[in-house]
Amino acid sequence: MRYVIVGTGAIGGTLAARLAQHGSTPPLVIARGDNAAAIRAGGMLLRSPDDEVRVDAPVATSPAEAELTTDDVLVFTTKTHQLQTALLEWVDQPVRAAAGEVVGTAGELLPVLTALNGVEAERLAQRYFRRVYGVCVWLPAVHLAPGEFTVRIAPVSGMFIVGRYGLPSADDDAGADVELLDTIRSDWERATFRVHLVDDVLRWKHRKLLANLGNAVQALVGPGASDDISRELYRLAREEGLAVYAAAGIGIPTDDEEELWRGGVFDVRPVPGVDGPIGGSTWQSLARGSGSIETDYLNGEIVRIARAVGVAAPVNEALQRLARQAAAERRAPASVTPAELRKLIGLD
């Protein structure tokens, strides 16, 4: 089985590098521009608190170059706001059998894993692909330079919670789901990740979403801004999210359930050779000046649910707007102080 990693950023790069390091079949890395050129020229450089490795992996810059077969699994690790474009690029790609003949399309035949933040990716993917598996990602990784990736924990590189999204059709082979998920768990755990298989993956993704509500705060004021105001803003955003969940009847795992699985493996430590402030995925979008940002599917998801059930979410609505404006204007991280952000949200 070959994993095709679509989106070689922090999550995709770390996953691909560890699979290339520890797996028997190297993943196919889908990358573009300087990132693709750097990986082709010098491999993938992965740093962690315990090691620094450079591994080779095949690279494709387009779906056509991937030459998909029935043994492939597509792993989407883009940001959620980039996913629609990626799905359309891949859904109608031809898939060949071992003998070389085309037997169908990717949307018809290949399983898809959605390893990205938010809770919208699975619904988007199900419009195009028959077999969709949601992935809740706990992986503190960074990608700022072409071909280089940093994971900030070790020896475990991260945790994935994986489950089928939606019910199999009557024509599906029930055993195929079990075989696929067991293989993913075996392959990814050998590559230094923890993997948990669940029946209701969105329950976990909704919980992770609450943690991601602080991404906008971190991006706007900087990862080093751990003062009382920053903590207050994240607390208010999270409490608002919980209230919206309650109004919508959305249940999530308890703190004890999460702690049982996370344990002590998520103690972030310094990484040799990596200096300066390091933030999460939203901070990285501002740091790279990408011009777009994922918070419409993070804070914006709370806003969407709130509007659907007739309640207000003013803190998350303000954070969504401010983060989107900062990205569009290509402002660097920490463009405002915590006190200024509090005022912009309307709390003063």
Side-chain angles (χ1 to χ4, degrees):
M1 194 162 77
R2 179 180 70 161
Y3 298 103
V4 180
I5 311 297
V6 182
T8 312
I11 302 302
T14 301
L15 174 61
R18 288 301 192 206
L19 287 171
Q21 180 185 7
H22 296 283
S24 55
T25 301
L28 176 63
V29 173
I30 309 301
R32 289 176 176 155
D34 292 344
N35 202 29
I39 296 170
R40 280 175 167 164
M44 308 178 73
L45 176 63
L46 178 64
R47 297 184 177 95
S48 85
D50 286 356
D51 65 350
E52 178 176 314
V53 297
R54 189 178 291 275
V55 294
D56 292 324
V59 180
T61 59
S62 70
E65 287 183 34
E67 298 181 345
L68 296 174
T69 76
T70 52
D71 291 326
D72 288 334
V73 175
L74 297 177
V75 185
F76 286 94
T77 58
T78 64
K79 300 286 200 306
T80 305
H81 66 284
Q82 302 164 331
L83 181 62
Q84 176 71 19
T85 298
L87 291 168
L88 288 172
E89 289 177 342
W90 287 89
V91 60
D92 293 319
Q93 289 300 307
V95 176
R96 299 180 184 276
E101 73 275 17
V102 174
V103 291
T105 67
E108 294 169 328
L109 299 176
L110 298 187
V112 162
L113 278 70
T114 48
L116 53 160
N117 288 331
V119 295
E120 184 67 12
E122 291 71 31
R123 189 168 69 170
L124 288 172
Q126 199 173 53
R127 292 177 183 271
Y128 306 103
F129 290 86
R130 289 180 178 174
R131 298 172 64 193
V132 177
Y133 302 83
V135 184
C136 180
V137 179
W138 294 92
L139 202 170
V142 182
H143 166 61
L144 293 176
E148 298 184 10
F149 310 89
T150 299
V151 59
R152 303 171 66 197
I153 58 173
V156 174
S157 295
M159 183 172 78
F160 298 101
I161 303 171
V162 188
R164 176 79 181 242
Y165 179 72
L167 297 175
S169 71
D171 297 331
D172 283 350
D173 177 4
D177 267 4
V178 174
E179 182 179 2
L180 173 68
L181 291 170
D182 283 347
T183 301
I184 290 168
R185 178 167 56 186
S186 175
D187 290 347
W188 292 15
E189 287 190 342
R190 186 168 61 249
T192 74
F193 300 99
R194 285 188 179 179
V195 179
H196 300 281
L197 305 181
V198 296
D199 292 327
D200 186 359
V201 68
L202 283 194
R203 181 170 170 262
W204 283 95
K205 295 197 80 168
H206 273 104
R207 180 179 174 90
K208 172 69 186 305
L209 176 62
L210 292 176
N212 290 138
L213 298 181
N215 286 22
V217 176
Q218 184 191 72
L220 291 166
V221 304
S226 58
D227 66 3
D228 291 341
I229 296 178
S230 298
R231 287 192 291 267
E232 176 201 17
L233 294 178
Y234 168 60
R235 177 181 59 79
L236 291 173
R238 188 178 190 278
E239 289 177 353
E240 192 175 84
L242 284 168
V244 169
Y245 282 178
I250 296 172
I252 61 173
T254 65
D255 292 349
D256 288 342
E257 287 179 271
E258 181 180 315
E259 180 59 27
L260 180 65
W261 282 0
R262 282 168 61 97
V265 304
F266 282 86
D267 295 331
V268 172
R269 293 188 278 135
V271 178
V274 178
D275 300 319
I278 298 177
S281 56
T282 304
W283 174 89
Q284 292 172 57
S285 292
L286 291 187
R288 289 196 301 268
S290 64
S292 64
I293 205 162
E294 64 187 332
T295 39
D296 284 337
Y297 291 93
L298 303 179
N299 306 88
E301 180 65 25
I302 298 300
V303 173
R304 185 199 66 78
I305 298 170
R307 290 170 179 164
V309 298
V311 299
V315 173
N316 282 285
E317 185 174 351
L319 288 171
Q320 176 192 4
R321 182 185 71 254
L322 293 167
R324 185 175 60 247
Q325 291 171 348
E329 295 167 8
R330 285 182 163 77
R331 282 189 262 136
S335 60
V336 298
T337 68
E340 289 170 339
L341 180 57
R342 192 181 194 281
K343 186 174 182 179
L344 288 168
I345 291 174
L347 297 175
D348 289 338

